[in-house]
Amino acid sequence: MVLPNSEGTSAPRLYAHIVGWGMAVPEKILRNQDLEAIVETSDEWIRTRTGIRERRIAGERESTASLGLKAARKALDVADLFPSEIDLIIVATSTPENIFPSTASLIQNWLGASRAGAFDLSAACSGFVYGVDMAAQAIRSGSIKAALVIGAETMSRVLDWQDRGTCILFGDGAGAVVLKSSTVEGGVLSSVLRSDGSGGDLLGIPTVGSEDLDNPDFFTNGHKMHKMYMNGGEVFKFATRVIGESIEEALVKAGLTIEDLSLIVPHQANQRIIQAAARALKVDVDIFVVNLDRYGNTSAASIPIALCEAVQADRMRPNDYIAFTGFGGGLTWASMIVQWTDLKSAETRTGVLSNQRRRQISYWVVRWRSQLRRLSKSLNQFLQRINPRRGRIMRLRDKVDQL
Ligand code: UT7
């Protein structure tokens, strides 16, 4: 379709396609049976009430950014794009490395994505769908050409390991997609993003708020600082209501009906929530991608991880209509309809393997360059202490910065 642009001339309509995907999960597995030694619970209770059997837990040297980076590199390989071709990096997370600098900026630096803007997005378990929508809007408007959207979490670091109502549910991991602009029809067709802040006290992680303020809008309400709390029953009721409603609404926006959908990739919170959503939408539960038995609830990472596994399992065909649906803290929820397109064969790119090697070399160069910069900073500090003649020091730093 050709639309008139602001100058009155005709510009081809742009579409935002998912052209790359990747996931990364820690190696360490925590089984339900292992949890029996930590809190008063049982494998049987966890399996029957949630569907979860095991989850992954980040090792000491793993973090939200390192898992996100791994997933992003894989997604760039699938998309066969170089980091320098990425205009925007969004990391959806509830467990960022810092309040700032953002996890997205850390990943931007490690990738060497020198032309990308980067920011973190806080919409809890709905964050990935929010992020894909933001990136798709920017692509469709013509303001950017390619974006990386990452959902990454190390939930294990914010769990209260004495609270059996939450610690048995969550796991760590990351998933990423690359979105790219094209005039080929398809890609992200519609989205519904919603929030109801009046339910903010149902789940959260108090971080900077103060218990001392009288203003009831600034409270931790007796919850532990930096630890997650949740009213599971209320969140369960909320989730079963909004999944069906928001998918129906996103379908209407895309001009489709539930019969058109081939697959639903839901946030992986609880098998019973997915079953209830299937009943509400009057579809077979098999239309839902489910992998929570192996990863538990990885919050913003759960949808892109499930998407990657669905692609690996060959569950998507070109032109299939698929839905993403997420819900969680905020309260927030979001659903999106995507027409899955095989853009590679539509636009035929070649040289994937040699480009993969070039990307690996560029990551190596970026790593050494930032280590060299760090070294030069320490060296400068040292020189400054023993020799305050700043001119020479500045010249040395400038040289390294130019590398
Ligand atoms: O990603 C963010 C979105 N989060 C969600 O979507 C989570 C939504 N909520 C849920 O998935 C469920 O509400 C839970 C799995 C968290 C809890 O399941 P439930 O069926 O709602 O259980 P409940 O909280 O109503 O508790 C039932 C019983 C209680 O015992 P009594 O009072 O009946 O004696 C709990 O104390 O189960 C007990 N219980 C447990 N027992 C063994 C709660 N947690 C556990 C546990 N092990 N881990």
Side-chain angles (χ1 to χ4, degrees):
M1 187 194 287
V2 176
L3 294 177
N5 61 20
S6 55
E7 279 116 42
T9 55
S10 292
R13 184 164 174 176
L14 297 172
Y15 297 86
H17 291 264
I18 294 176
V19 296
W21 45 86
M23 59 176 272
V25 290
E27 268 181 27
K28 188 178 166 195
I29 296 174
L30 185 69
R31 298 190 174 81
N32 290 349
Q33 290 84 347
D34 303 324
L35 281 162
E36 290 173 4
I38 301 172
V39 282
E40 204 186 322
T41 190
S42 66
D43 170 48
E44 204 257 333
W45 191 95
I46 301 172
R47 262 189 301 105
T48 52
R49 304 309 293 166
T50 71
I52 300 166
R53 289 172 184 273
E54 60 188 42
R55 69 287 291 142
R56 301 297 178 102
I57 302 292
E60 265 176 37
R61 295 181 64 80
E62 283 171 315
S63 71
T64 299
S66 75
L67 292 168
L69 176 72
K70 270 193 193 168
R73 284 178 173 173
K74 287 181 188 167
L76 285 171
D77 278 343
V78 174
D80 194 22
L81 284 182
F82 288 97
S84 57
E85 294 177 275
I86 296 294
D87 303 299
L88 178 65
I89 300 173
I90 302 174
V91 175
T93 183
S94 297
T95 49
E97 299 279 330
N98 315 289
I99 289 177
F100 69 86
S102 70
T103 304
S105 287
L106 297 179
I107 293 176
Q108 172 274 320
N109 181 43
W110 291 342
L111 284 174
S114 49
R115 290 177 51 247
F119 69 93
D120 288 355
L121 189 156
S122 168
C125 309
S126 321
F128 177 76
V129 185
Y130 270 63
V132 173
D133 180 66
M134 299 293 111
Q137 304 262 21
I139 286 173
R140 286 193 298 245
S141 75
S143 92
I144 64 164
K145 286 201 165 64
L148 192 53
V149 181
I150 303 165
E153 305 280 11
T154 38
M155 299 303 291
S156 62
R157 305 225 161 107
V158 294
L159 291 175
D160 177 352
W161 289 98
Q162 291 171 342
D163 176 14
R164 67 178 183 173
T166 51
C167 76
I168 54 118
L169 298 171
F170 293 87
D172 302 335
V177 294
V178 172
L179 287 128
K180 198 181 144 201
S181 170
S182 170
T183 53
V184 175
E185 274 189 46
V188 177
L189 299 183
S190 70
S191 346
V192 171
L193 311 184
R194 294 280 188 275
S195 171
D196 174 9
S198 71
D201 57 341
L202 295 181
L203 71 164
I205 308 171
T207 307
V208 188
S210 167
E211 290 177 79
D212 300 325
L213 295 176
D214 289 335
N215 183 344
D217 286 334
F218 295 90
F219 59 81
T220 57
N221 229 357
H223 301 301
K224 291 183 189 167
M225 271 303 212
H226 305 289
K227 293 291 168 212
M228 184 178 174
Y229 65 86
M230 178 169 74
N231 178 335
E234 287 304 314
V235 176
F236 191 102
K237 279 187 248 162
F238 145 76
T240 50
R241 178 172 56 81
V242 297
I243 297 176
E245 278 174 18
S246 61
I247 289 180
E248 298 271 17
E249 206 177 326
L251 281 166
V252 170
K253 274 187 164 183
L256 300 169
T257 65
I258 189 75
E259 286 77 33
D260 295 312
L261 276 189
S262 304
L263 206 63
I264 300 174
V265 189
H267 169 47
Q268 309 283 313
N270 189 319
Q271 177 68 34
R272 290 186 295 132
I273 292 178
I274 292 172
Q275 284 160 346
R279 283 194 297 274
L281 286 164
K282 300 188 177 63
V283 291
D284 196 302
V285 75
D286 289 344
I287 198 178
F288 286 85
V289 179
V290 180
N291 64 3
L292 58 83
D293 52 324
R294 284 171 294 124
Y295 303 119
N297 181 341
T298 55
S299 191
S302 81
I303 295 175
I305 290 176
L307 173 70
C308 286
E309 293 204 332
V311 180
Q312 275 159 17
D314 214 11
R315 291 188 71 178
M316 263 96 94
R317 297 267 170 271
N319 296 321
D320 273 0
Y321 294 109
I322 63 171
F324 298 152
T325 184
F327 51 87
L331 298 171
T332 56
W333 63 104
S335 285
M336 167 175 281
I337 308 296
V338 175
Q339 188 176 11
W340 193 253
T341 34
D342 189 358
L343 202 60
K344 275 210 184 114
S345 57
E347 293 187 335
T348 55
R349 275 176 81 101
T350 50
V352 177
L353 202 64
S354 66
N355 284 346
Q356 198 175 339
R357 283 207 192 99
R358 283 172 58 199
R359 265 188 297 275
Q360 268 152 14
I361 293 168
S362 82
Y363 297 145
W364 186 84
V365 170
V366 166
R367 213 176 101 206
W368 280 104
R369 191 177 56 195
S370 56
Q371 285 194 349
L372 211 58
R373 279 185 178 160
R374 250 202 310 269
L375 196 71
S376 97
K377 274 190 193 122
S378 331
L379 193 64
N380 278 328
Q381 278 162 8
F382 173 71
L383 286 173
Q384 219 157 11
R385 250 183 285 141
I386 61 161
N387 179 0
R389 277 185 300 159
R390 285 180 55 79
R392 219 167 63 205
I393 295 160
M394 295 309 283
R395 273 203 301 279
L396 176 66
R397 195 167 63 198
D398 288 350
K399 279 211 176 90
V400 175
D401 282 350
Q402 280 160 16
L403 284 175

